[in-house]
C-alpha cells in the first residue's frame, strides 16, 4: 500500500507541475465505498492535505457514505485529524449538501456567500431542513455516533472470529459500522449474497468480490448476533 501511495503521489505532483493552473481540487472518499470498501491510511490523507496546501488547491472529502456517524464519529476524516476545505454529505439525515471551510472565504465573492450562486440541484428547501434537523436531534439524544462505534467494534470482532473459522472469508475490515469482507471471486460473492438475501439478511455487494454491511446507526448487539448466526450458517458452506 505504501508503494502505491508513493506512485500516486508522484503522479499527482507530475500532473500539478504540468497543469497546475487548471486544477481546482483533489477529491477523495476517506474510505472508498463502491470500489470495494478500500480504506486509506491516515498518512495518505495527511499527505494529500500537504500537497493541496503547497499547491494552493482545495482538498475535498466525499463523505456521502462515510459521514454523519457511519464510522463512529460525525465525520470519517476526524479519525485521521485531517480537515478538508469542502466536505460533501448525505444519506443519514436524508438531505445532501456540502460544508465549506475558511479557505473558501479567501475569495470574497465565493459561491457560498453570494445569493443565487448555489441553486437548482443544490438549492435547499424547508422540508429538507426540518426533516434533517429532526434526525440530527435524534442522533444526539440517543447517542447514535457512540452506538455506531461500540456496536461496530463488536460486529468487527465477531466477523474476525468467523474469518478464522471460514477459509473462504478474508480481509475483514471496518471502521464503526462501515464494515466489509472479501470472498475468493465475484461468483462466490454473488452466490453468497443471494443466499443471505433469501435467508433475510440484507447485505450489499461492493467492488469485485466484497460483501459490505451498512446497518442503521441504532443497531443493537442482539441484532448483530442474529445476523452473525445466519452468516455463519451460510459462510461455512462456502468452499475457498
Amino acid at each position: 500500500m505504501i508503494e502505491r501511495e508513493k506512485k500516486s503521489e508522484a503522479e499527482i505532483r507530475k500532473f500539478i507541475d504540468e497543469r497546475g493552473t487548471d486544477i481546482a481540487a483533489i477529491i477523495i472518499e476517506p474510505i472508498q465505498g463502491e470500489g470495494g470498501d478500500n480504506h486509506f491510511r491516515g498518512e495518505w490523507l495527511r499527505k494529500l492535505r500537504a500537497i493541496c496546501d503547497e499547491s494552493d488547491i482545495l482538498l475535498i472529502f466525499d463523505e456521502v457514505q462515510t459521514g454523519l456517524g457511519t464510522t463512529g464519529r460525525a465525520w470519517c476524516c476526524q479519525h485521521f485529524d485531517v480537515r478538508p476545505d469542502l466536505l460533501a454529505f448525505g444519506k443519514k439525515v436524508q438531505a445532501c449538501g456540502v460544508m465549506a471551510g475558511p479557505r473558501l472565504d479567501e475569495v470574497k465573492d465565493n459561491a457560498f456567500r453570494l445569493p443565487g450562486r448555489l441553486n437548482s440541484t443544490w438549492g435547499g428547501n424547508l422540508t429538507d431542513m426540518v426533516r434533517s434537523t429532526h434526525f440530527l436531534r435524534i442522533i444526539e439524544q440517543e447517542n447514535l455516533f457512540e452506538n455506531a462505534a461500540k456496536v461496530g467494534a463488536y460486529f468487527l470482532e465477531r466477523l474476525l472470529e468467523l474469518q478464522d473459522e471460514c477459509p473462504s472469508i478474508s480481509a475483514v475490515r471496518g471502521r464503526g459500522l462501515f464494515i466489509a469482507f472479501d470472498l475468493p471471486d465475484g461468483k462466490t460473492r454473488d452466490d453468497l449474497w443471494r443466499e443471505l438475501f433469501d435467508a433475510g439478511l440484507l447485505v450489499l455487494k461492493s467492488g469485485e468480490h466484497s460483501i459490505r454491511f451498512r446497518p442503521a446507526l441504532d443497531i443493537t448487539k442482539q441484532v448483530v448476533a442474529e445476523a452473525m448466526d445466519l452468516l455463519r450458517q451460510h459462510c461455512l458452506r462456502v468452499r475457498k
Side-chain angles (χ1 to χ4, degrees):
M1 179 176 288
I2 294 176
E3 289 303 313
R4 292 175 66 183
E5 290 174 3
K6 290 180 179 178
K7 181 175 183 293
S8 296
E9 180 184 356
E11 292 174 349
I12 290 170
R13 291 188 182 279
K14 180 176 183 294
F15 198 72
I16 289 174
D17 288 341
E18 295 174 352
R19 300 286 300 278
T21 57
D22 296 327
I23 301 171
I26 293 175
I27 181 169
I28 188 172
E29 292 178 284
I31 304 173
Q32 187 184 40
E34 300 301 321
D37 273 35
N38 301 311
H39 290 242
F40 292 105
R41 299 192 316 139
E43 292 87 343
W44 173 240
L45 298 178
R46 288 190 285 273
K47 175 62 70 174
L48 292 179
R49 174 73 275 174
I51 291 173
C52 288
D53 290 341
E54 294 166 8
S55 306
D56 195 27
I57 58 181
L58 300 178
L59 178 62
I60 302 176
F61 283 164
D62 175 353
E63 293 224 28
V64 170
Q65 291 195 36
T66 59
L68 290 164
T70 305
T71 66
R73 302 192 71 171
W75 309 109
C76 183
C77 60
Q78 291 178 300
H79 292 284
F80 310 111
D81 193 28
V82 181
R83 178 177 292 184
D85 301 305
L86 282 169
L87 186 149
F89 63 88
K91 293 188 182 289
K92 292 300 183 185
V93 292
Q94 295 188 15
C96 296
V98 291
M99 295 192 300
R103 283 195 68 197
L104 273 292
D105 281 330
E106 293 176 10
V107 177
K108 181 180 177 181
D109 296 333
N110 67 74
F112 293 89
R113 296 297 181 185
L114 289 184
R117 289 288 302 278
L118 295 174
N119 52 30
S120 184
T121 301
W122 300 107
N125 62 75
L126 182 60
T127 302
D128 282 342
M129 287 187 282
V130 171
R131 183 173 63 241
S132 59
T133 299
H134 182 60
F135 289 145
L136 287 170
R137 186 179 298 115
I138 292 172
I139 287 171
E140 181 179 19
Q141 290 175 346
E142 298 186 10
N143 298 313
L144 294 187
F145 291 168
E146 293 84 351
N147 185 73
K150 184 183 300 182
V151 178
Y154 171 72
F155 200 169
L156 191 64
E157 181 182 349
R158 295 294 305 275
L159 281 171
L160 287 169
E161 293 171 357
L162 181 59
Q163 180 176 250
D164 291 337
E165 299 175 39
C166 182
S168 62
I169 289 180
S170 63
V172 169
R173 56 201 181 274
R175 188 177 291 277
L177 295 173
F178 206 98
I179 297 171
F181 63 79
D182 289 347
L183 288 154
D185 52 64
K187 183 180 184 306
T188 304
R189 186 273 308 278
D190 292 349
D191 291 345
L192 177 61
W193 173 83
R194 173 54 62 182
E195 285 188 28
L196 294 174
F197 181 86
D198 292 341
L201 180 56
L202 303 182
V203 300
L204 298 168
K205 294 185 282 187
S206 182
E208 297 180 355
H209 51 82
S210 300
I211 289 284
R212 59 176 170 170
F213 302 87
R214 295 294 189 271
L217 296 179
D218 63 351
I219 191 172
T220 64
K221 288 185 177 180
Q222 179 181 349
V223 172
V224 171
E226 293 172 2
M228 288 303 306
D229 287 342
L230 281 172
L231 193 58
R232 177 172 284 101
Q233 293 171 26
H234 292 274
C235 284
L236 290 177
R237 295 204 299 266
V238 177
R239 293 288 177 264
K240 186 170 184 179

